[in-house]
Amino acid sequence: MGLAWCLMAAFLLLLLFLGMSTGQRVVTVQKGPLYRVRGSHVTLWCKVSGYQGPSEQNFQWSIYLPTAPEREVQIVSTVDPSFPYAIYTQRVHGRGIYVERVQGDAVLLHITELQDRDAGEYECHTPNTDERYFGSYSAKTNLSVIADTLSASMVPQVLTRTEGETVELTCEVSKSTAQHTHLSVGWYLLQGTGEHHTKEILTLSKDFVLRPGPSYVQRFLAGSVRLNKVGNTTYRLSIEQVESSDQGQLYCEAAEWIEDPDETWKDISRKQTGRTSLAIISQGRDLSVNIAAAENSLSEGDTLQLNCMVGSQKTSSRQFQVLWLLNGVEVARVDPHGVLIWKEEYEERAKLGQLRAFKQSNTVYILIIYKVGLKDNGTYHCSVSEMKTAEHFHSIQTNLSSGIQVNVKPIESRLRLSVSTSTPQVVAGDTLVLLCQVAGATSPVSVQWWHLPPQHADPWVLVATMERDGTLSLGSTYQDSRTRGSLRLEKASSGAYTLVIPNTLDESDGGRYGCKATEWSRGQSWTEEGETAVTVSSMGLGLHATLRSRTATIRYGQSLELICQVSAGYTLEEVPVSVRWVFQPSPATGHYTELVRVSPSGTVAWGAMQPHFQGKAQLSKADTSFRLHIHNAAAAHEGKYQCEVEVWRRNTLPLGQPAAVAKSNAVGIKVVLPESKLRVATKESSVEIAGGADTAIECQILFAPNNSQFAITWYLLRPPPADVTPLQILRTNYSSILEYGAEFSSPTQKSRFLSQRVSSNVFWLRVLSANPRDQGKYYCVVEEWLWLVDGWYKLGEETSGRTTLEFKLPERELQLEKTNGSVVVREGEEVTLQCLLQGARLPAAYFSATWFRGEESSQDRPLITLHRDGAVEYPHENLMRRLQLRRLSAGDFSLTLRSVEEGDAGAYRCQVQEWQWQSQGKDWALQALARSEYTQLTTIPPESTVLSRICSSPPLLNFILYLPLILILLLALAVCCSYFQFRKSKSKRGNVTGVQLMELEGAGSVKKT
């Protein structure tokens, strides 16, 4: 047991040892906050320790900008080329930002030219290569970008001193940095070309300690070389007992230093002054020649001044000739009298004033080249010859100066450009502000703004141009200020060009905006371009209108309120808004009518529906809610309502088409009219009458308000097997206008069925001279109508009970001759249907007869009626010409149908009634009647003949009609041809006969001879 405990303890100690031996990853970054000046080269170090995996670790740099401290913006990676975000891609690819690997686990982030937008919190991240996550994988530091306020200046001079004399130079150095910084000021001597020919003279360090250069230590200790601060910003260098080694170009360099959080000092800015050329004349030689230049490193277009200094004893009494040489070739010479002679290839430039050479004194000669070019590169010497005259000048001694190398560099522009916008996302009508920041320009700059609409590859459209002299011009698309307002292109500060589009038009004003800056100098130009993206959203995006009402059903006379709630992705109160209310009356007519419109200025314009809403409708507005309030609602207000919202771009007059329109949902409003209290008698009854008698059907209103009007409609439901659909007899509306139904619209029917109002609540239907076809059930439908402010409205209707009208048929029946049950006839022919009375007839009897057409299972339709007085009635006028009653005898009521048509097929029957005058009743009485059986009429198509076939075929008919005409024309043509042929042949025969006669006459004369 003890051994087991020992083994377990040993195992635990081993695990603890392994855990302690495993390192913890730690990422360290340069401690912040760090302050660096704009335009400087900045480095940030980052290293990782305690890691597992390969010795070469990868690093990724990101930044968190002050404007979005929670959002990571990726800059550069040692492993992933696609790591940078778009705003850093160009600088990373152009090595403006890069990572230098110091060793496998340590790197430096380089920003070669610091910009304002580079300020923020930098994060260094190392991707995991460990078996497990343990430790820290990233670290952060803050970098602030400050302005470069350091200034160093010295007036360039050309000085000549003799060995042993004193030289004093002053340098002005200043700064205005808000942070605590130190200055260092140093003096340097440049001999020859290149930085490696520079010697440090004396420097005042950031710790306020004077440090001489290696070549000047002894002279500094001896007090011959001094640096004094003689004012707040003035530093003076004094060199006593100058030596020939002091000859060259002197300049001052100032540096500004800041202490970082890790307690190290960093130079954040350095500035050099212009250079002073110092020439030293040696003593002890009879003739010495020195050459000096104010500046020997120039750019194209600069001015080069060379001084040639002659050192000798008693120079005022001696005469010299000076030659200027470039790369050993003579340029010009100045003779002892000061006369200037140019070599041929330089004469033209001298005439144009680009070259100048002159004698300043007997010991100083000057050559000036204005606007130097690349051809002026090279080594310059001056050769001095002492001249002595006897008869003419001749040289007695010559000395050549040392060479001075002049470097002329091509003009290089440091023009830089960045484009940004403070309005990357706007709504149509908003102002667009675009900034083009131009830096590094040393000459006048012209700026152009271009626009590429969204989803367009080309071409770019010119927006505006500002020339070098500040002249502003607009592109043709942007010249009309009524479209987008008055565009402005302003130079707000040095290098900042702001383009303002006051009123964006629509989505097409979005897209990419490019700035093109061109620097002009000495006949050359340099161009930089940049662009930024802008999104212009439509005013219709997010524009919605919702219509609602607290209740959809209201009673007549109550009030209703409709609320149109409008929402949008922008502030509606800042844009012109118009609201249009439309209305569709009930019942629906299929389209909406404008009710009222409220313009952006608040003007109210009513539509065609104004008479129904005048004095009742009230409009109001609260924020983005528009209300329509209707007082004392009437039936005319029932229907569907909608609101339409129109918006215009801000800062524009609401004229023409709106920028966006939104329609709301439809809301239906139902106005419930007063409840009908109409009550009609519904008791069933029956009436039995003899044929030919008059009768009346009663319709009684039991209860109705006194101010109501009534419309009465009478219906007849015939007995089976007739159609079960009720037939409308007549209708009297609330204005007492009478209207008959289709089956009762003939003059005979109108004279037999009459409407009569017996009292205020009793209505009769009078049926005169009733006959068996009038049998059936009669009832009335009563409609209650009420005048409500703007018109008549139906409140309700009631149906009365049915009154059955029955006939008391006569005991005696008439006998009709039986006929064929079916008849077949061709279309277009004539047919007669038999109806013959048989047997004895009463004396002084009169007959009436009616022919019907129909099926036995449905209601018969009357075709023609012969009344007892001999009058004939045609219920259907279109059959009047084709129907005829054949009265060959008193008992013959046969029907003749002319020009039979296909639609005439069907079942026919006749009905005959016998009437007799009743003197005591002073009326006609039906004595007997008879109905025939149905005769089935069948039609067949007409027989086809040659003529009918011809007529039925248009091509054949045309052929037959035009063939004779064509034959006649051909015959006439043949006759004409024959006639002309005959005339031609007759003329030919006449000519032949004449020739023969002449031959005979000639023969006769010969014979006579």
Side-chain angles (χ1 to χ4, degrees):
M1 187 70 178
L3 179 62
W5 281 107
C6 288
L7 290 173
M8 184 176 294
F11 181 72
L12 291 174
L13 286 172
L14 179 62
L15 289 178
L16 180 61
F17 173 75
L18 291 174
M20 292 177 63
S21 66
T22 303
Q24 176 177 347
R25 177 183 286 257
V26 176
V27 176
T28 310
V29 74
Q30 188 169 345
K31 188 177 181 181
L34 302 174
Y35 295 91
R36 299 294 185 263
V37 299
R38 183 188 309 117
S40 63
H41 187 130
V42 176
T43 60
L44 299 176
W45 60 259
C46 178
K47 61 185 178 180
V48 59
S49 61
Y51 56 87
Q52 298 177 2
S55 60
E56 186 172 285
Q57 295 286 298
N58 285 310
F59 294 82
Q60 294 176 338
W61 286 91
S62 302
I63 187 173
Y64 296 84
L65 298 174
T67 55
E70 302 298 325
R71 180 187 174 196
E72 177 188 8
V73 180
Q74 299 173 179
I75 302 177
V76 65
S77 168
T78 61
V79 63
D80 184 5
S82 64
F83 182 78
Y85 278 8
I87 60 172
Y88 287 102
T89 301
Q90 185 175 357
R91 295 174 68 187
V92 171
H93 289 171
R95 296 285 291 175
I97 298 177
Y98 63 94
V99 176
E100 176 191 0
R101 187 179 291 278
V102 181
Q103 57 188 39
D105 54 4
V107 296
L108 281 177
L109 172 66
H110 288 261
I111 303 176
T112 59
E113 190 174 351
L114 192 65
Q115 301 178 11
D116 288 333
R117 59 176 178 171
D118 294 329
E121 185 178 36
Y122 285 76
E123 180 181 37
C124 175
H125 174 75
T126 60
N128 183 34
T129 60
D130 308 333
E131 294 179 358
R132 61 193 181 95
Y133 282 91
F134 185 53
S136 65
Y137 290 83
S138 64
K140 295 181 179 179
T141 187
N142 273 297
L143 174 64
S144 297
V145 180
I146 61 177
D148 186 359
T149 63
L150 179 63
S151 171
S153 63
M154 179 180 70
V155 178
Q157 304 177 66
V158 177
L159 301 177
T160 304
R161 295 289 184 272
T162 305
E163 288 179 330
E165 293 182 348
T166 299
V167 172
E168 287 188 349
L169 299 174
T170 57
C171 177
E172 296 290 332
V173 179
S174 64
K175 67 178 180 69
S176 58
T177 308
Q179 286 70 29
H180 176 71
T181 58
H182 288 185
L183 289 176
S184 66
V185 179
W187 289 90
Y188 297 86
L189 173 62
L190 177 63
Q191 294 175 320
T193 59
E195 297 298 326
H196 60 281
H197 291 102
T198 301
K199 295 194 297 185
E200 182 182 3
I201 301 175
L202 187 59
T203 299
L204 177 63
S205 72
K206 65 180 183 302
D207 304 319
F208 312 107
V209 176
L210 286 172
R211 294 192 178 94
S215 303
Y216 289 85
V217 173
Q218 294 300 325
R219 298 169 69 183
F220 169 73
L221 294 175
S224 298
V225 177
R226 300 188 304 276
L227 175 60
N228 297 319
K229 186 177 182 182
V230 295
N232 290 333
T233 61
T234 305
Y235 298 81
R236 177 188 297 159
L237 173 70
S238 298
I239 303 177
E240 297 178 352
Q241 298 179 358
V242 294
E243 302 173 358
S244 59
S245 60
D246 296 329
Q247 180 170 292
Q249 298 184 67
L250 289 81
Y251 65 90
C252 168
E253 181 179 271
E256 186 175 5
W257 299 77
I258 192 167
E259 187 177 17
D260 285 343
D262 59 1
E263 298 183 351
T264 61
W265 286 85
K266 171 66 179 174
D267 56 329
I268 59 175
S269 179
R270 286 185 177 270
K271 295 291 174 65
Q272 290 185 1
T273 67
R275 296 172 182 177
T276 291
S277 178
L278 176 61
I280 306 298
I281 300 176
S282 300
Q283 293 181 349
R285 289 196 297 268
D286 186 45
L287 182 64
S288 65
V289 180
N290 292 292
I291 188 170
E295 183 71 46
N296 65 342
S297 182
L298 306 169
S299 296
E300 285 184 280
D302 289 347
T303 298
L304 172 64
Q305 178 176 330
L306 296 172
N307 291 4
C308 182
M309 293 149 291
V310 179
S312 66
Q313 300 295 324
K314 300 179 181 180
T315 56
S316 60
S317 60
R318 303 168 71 174
Q319 293 178 315
F320 303 103
Q321 176 177 272
V322 176
L323 273 70
W324 290 100
L325 307 173
L326 171 59
N327 297 327
V329 178
E330 182 180 340
V331 175
R333 69 173 58 197
V334 179
D335 70 8
H337 299 298
V339 177
L340 174 65
I341 301 171
W342 292 100
K343 295 300 287 184
E344 184 179 355
E345 57 266 32
Y346 292 93
E347 285 183 351
E348 185 65 29
R349 292 177 66 186
K351 291 178 181 178
L352 295 174
Q354 297 178 2
L355 300 177
R356 185 183 178 203
F358 61 93
K359 177 181 177 180
Q360 188 177 35
S361 67
N362 206 33
T363 59
V364 178
Y365 296 83
I366 297 175
L367 171 65
I368 300 176
I369 302 178
Y370 301 100
K371 296 183 179 179
V372 296
L374 297 178
K375 60 187 175 183
D376 298 319
N377 265 319
T379 302
Y380 286 82
H381 295 82
C382 70
S383 175
V384 179
S385 300
E386 184 178 359
M387 309 299 289
K388 192 171 178 77
T389 179
E391 295 180 359
H392 54 81
F393 284 108
H394 65 276
S395 173
I396 59 175
Q397 66 170 324
T398 300
N399 200 356
L400 182 67
S401 73
S402 60
I404 184 168
Q405 180 68 36
V406 173
N407 295 316
V408 180
K409 297 177 293 184
I411 300 177
E412 294 181 359
S413 173
R414 300 189 64 189
L415 184 66
R416 302 184 307 279
L417 180 148
S418 63
V419 183
S420 60
T421 176
S422 59
T423 54
Q425 291 187 335
V426 297
V427 177
D430 288 350
T431 300
L432 201 59
V433 181
L434 301 160
L435 176 64
C436 183
Q437 187 70 46
V438 180
T442 58
S443 302
V445 174
S446 64
V447 172
Q448 286 184 332
W449 279 98
W450 296 81
H451 175 222
L452 183 65
Q455 299 178 355
H456 283 67
D458 266 324
W460 289 72
V461 179
L462 178 63
V463 180
T465 301
M466 180 176 283
E467 301 295 347
R468 288 174 286 174
D469 59 358
T471 304
L472 177 65
S473 61
L474 299 179
S476 58
T477 308
Y478 296 84
Q479 290 178 358
D480 189 356
S481 61
R482 296 171 297 178
T483 304
R484 295 176 178 85
S486 299
L487 269 70
R488 303 194 305 275
L489 176 54
E490 304 168 343
K491 187 177 181 181
S493 62
S494 177
Y497 297 84
T498 304
L499 174 66
V500 180
I501 301 177
N503 194 354
T504 50
L505 188 60
D506 50 30
E507 297 98 319
S508 64
D509 279 349
R512 290 151 57 196
Y513 283 84
C515 176
K516 180 180 178 181
T518 304
E519 181 181 8
W520 304 82
S521 177
R522 297 165 184 168
Q524 298 188 55
S525 64
W526 298 266
T527 299
E528 286 289 327
E529 298 182 7
E531 62 181 60
T532 186
V534 172
T535 301
V536 179
S537 302
S538 166
M539 296 192 73
L541 189 64
L543 181 64
H544 297 287
T546 304
L547 185 62
R548 55 189 174 87
S549 174
R550 291 188 175 88
T551 177
T553 304
I554 60 171
R555 293 189 175 277
Y556 176 85
Q558 291 182 338
S559 297
L560 69 95
E561 185 175 54
L562 295 165
I563 303 170
C564 182
Q565 187 67 45
V566 185
S567 61
Y570 45 89
T571 306
L572 275 171
E573 289 84 348
E574 297 177 358
V575 301
V577 180
S578 169
V579 177
R580 177 173 173 258
W581 293 89
V582 295
F583 174 59
Q584 183 185 62
S586 180
T589 57
H591 64 276
Y592 284 84
T593 303
E594 181 174 302
L595 178 59
V596 64
R597 179 192 293 268
V598 182
S599 68
S601 63
T603 304
V604 178
W606 288 92
M609 301 297 292
Q610 182 181 7
H612 297 289
F613 291 84
Q614 191 170 13
K616 294 188 175 184
Q618 180 180 354
L619 299 167
S620 62
K621 175 183 180 293
D623 296 330
T624 59
S625 178
F626 301 86
R627 299 170 183 255
L628 173 63
H629 190 90
I630 300 176
H631 306 278
N632 194 20
H637 303 147
E638 180 177 320
K640 291 182 179 180
Y641 292 81
Q642 263 188 324
C643 67
E644 294 182 6
V645 180
E646 300 173 336
V647 294
W648 283 264
R649 292 180 295 138
R650 72 183 74 212
N651 305 323
T652 59
L653 294 175
L655 302 173
Q657 291 296 323
V661 178
K663 287 186 179 182
S664 74
N665 54 297
V667 171
I669 297 297
K670 181 173 179 59
V671 179
V672 179
L673 298 177
E675 185 179 355
S676 174
K677 299 181 180 179
L678 176 67
R679 296 292 179 270
V680 177
T682 57
K683 184 178 180 182
E684 302 283 338
S685 61
S686 62
V687 176
E688 185 179 39
I689 61 173
D694 298 339
T695 186
I697 312 297
E698 185 177 272
C699 178
Q700 183 179 7
I701 299 174
L702 300 179
F703 179 79
N706 294 332
N707 56 346
S708 296
Q709 297 294 326
F710 306 103
I712 309 297
T713 306
W714 288 96
Y715 293 92
L716 167 62
L717 189 61
R718 296 190 187 276
D723 197 344
V724 296
T725 302
L727 300 175
Q728 179 181 324
I729 304 172
L730 58 84
R731 168 185 170 81
T732 306
N733 67 7
Y734 55 81
S735 300
S736 299
I737 297 175
L738 191 62
E739 179 184 357
Y740 281 87
E743 297 289 335
F744 296 85
S745 58
S746 65
T748 303
Q749 296 288 65
K750 288 181 179 181
S751 64
R752 293 180 55 244
F753 291 89
L754 306 174
S755 176
Q756 181 180 357
R757 185 169 186 172
V758 180
S759 64
S760 61
N761 61 341
V762 176
F763 297 84
W764 279 1
L765 174 65
R766 298 183 61 85
V767 184
L768 306 180
S769 302
N771 60 56
R773 290 197 70 253
D774 298 332
Q775 290 185 104
K777 295 183 177 181
Y778 291 80
Y779 64 92
C780 69
V781 175
V782 181
E783 300 172 2
E784 181 182 8
W785 291 77
L786 187 64
W787 175 265
L788 298 175
V789 182
D790 57 349
W792 287 95
Y793 292 92
K794 178 181 174 181
L795 302 184
E797 68 177 31
E798 291 282 332
T799 302
S800 70
R802 298 180 179 183
T803 299
T804 303
L805 179 62
E806 298 177 345
F807 271 78
K808 185 177 180 182
L809 296 175
E811 297 178 356
R812 194 166 69 87
E813 292 186 2
L814 295 175
Q815 298 297 320
L816 290 176
E817 181 180 311
K818 291 185 179 181
T819 60
N820 294 332
S822 63
V823 176
V824 179
V825 64
R826 288 190 183 276
E827 295 175 17
E829 295 183 354
E830 180 181 291
V831 66
T832 298
L833 305 179
Q834 301 293 329
C835 182
L836 301 172
L837 276 178
Q838 292 181 339
R841 293 181 288 277
L842 294 176
Y846 289 82
F847 294 92
S848 65
T850 303
W851 275 93
F852 299 90
R853 177 179 170 224
E855 299 294 336
E856 297 184 18
S857 59
S858 62
Q859 180 180 344
D860 291 341
R861 183 165 64 95
L863 299 175
I864 186 171
T865 299
L866 173 66
H867 293 284
R868 58 179 177 264
D869 58 358
V872 178
E873 178 185 358
Y874 295 91
H876 306 282
E877 294 183 0
N878 59 330
L879 296 176
M880 184 183 301
R881 296 181 178 179
R882 296 201 298 122
L883 296 178
Q884 180 184 4
L885 284 176
R886 190 186 67 178
R887 299 299 307 279
L888 299 179
S889 62
D892 188 356
F893 300 96
S894 298
L895 175 64
T896 298
L897 180 59
R898 299 190 186 94
S899 301
V900 174
E901 299 174 358
E902 183 180 1
D904 294 333
Y908 293 80
R909 70 178 179 88
C910 69
Q911 175 180 290
V912 181
Q913 298 173 332
E914 184 181 38
W915 301 82
Q916 196 170 34
W917 178 259
Q918 302 292 329
S919 57
Q920 66 274 18
K922 296 184 180 179
D923 207 348
W924 290 93
L926 180 62
Q927 300 298 320
L929 63 83
R931 295 188 181 94
S932 71
E933 296 179 355
Y934 283 97
T935 298
Q936 186 67 37
L937 178 64
T938 303
T939 63
I940 59 176
E943 185 177 357
S944 178
T945 63
V946 174
L947 183 60
S948 65
R949 290 178 182 174
I950 292 174
C951 294
S952 63
S953 175
L956 183 59
L957 180 61
N958 290 334
F959 176 75
I960 293 174
L961 289 176
Y962 291 112
L963 181 60
L965 181 60
I966 294 171
L967 292 175
I968 292 172
L969 290 175
L970 291 175
L971 183 59
L973 184 61
V975 170
C976 290
C977 290
S978 299
Y979 174 74
F980 285 114
Q981 189 68 26
F982 173 74
R983 290 285 303 272
K984 187 175 181 181
S985 60
K986 185 177 179 182
S987 173
K988 198 179 265 189
R989 285 196 302 270
N991 291 337
V992 172
T993 304
V995 172
Q996 293 173 347
L997 288 173
M998 289 174 66
E999 291 177 350
L1000 290 174
E1001 289 177 358
S1005 61
V1006 171
K1007 190 175 183 181
K1008 288 179 180 179
T1009 304

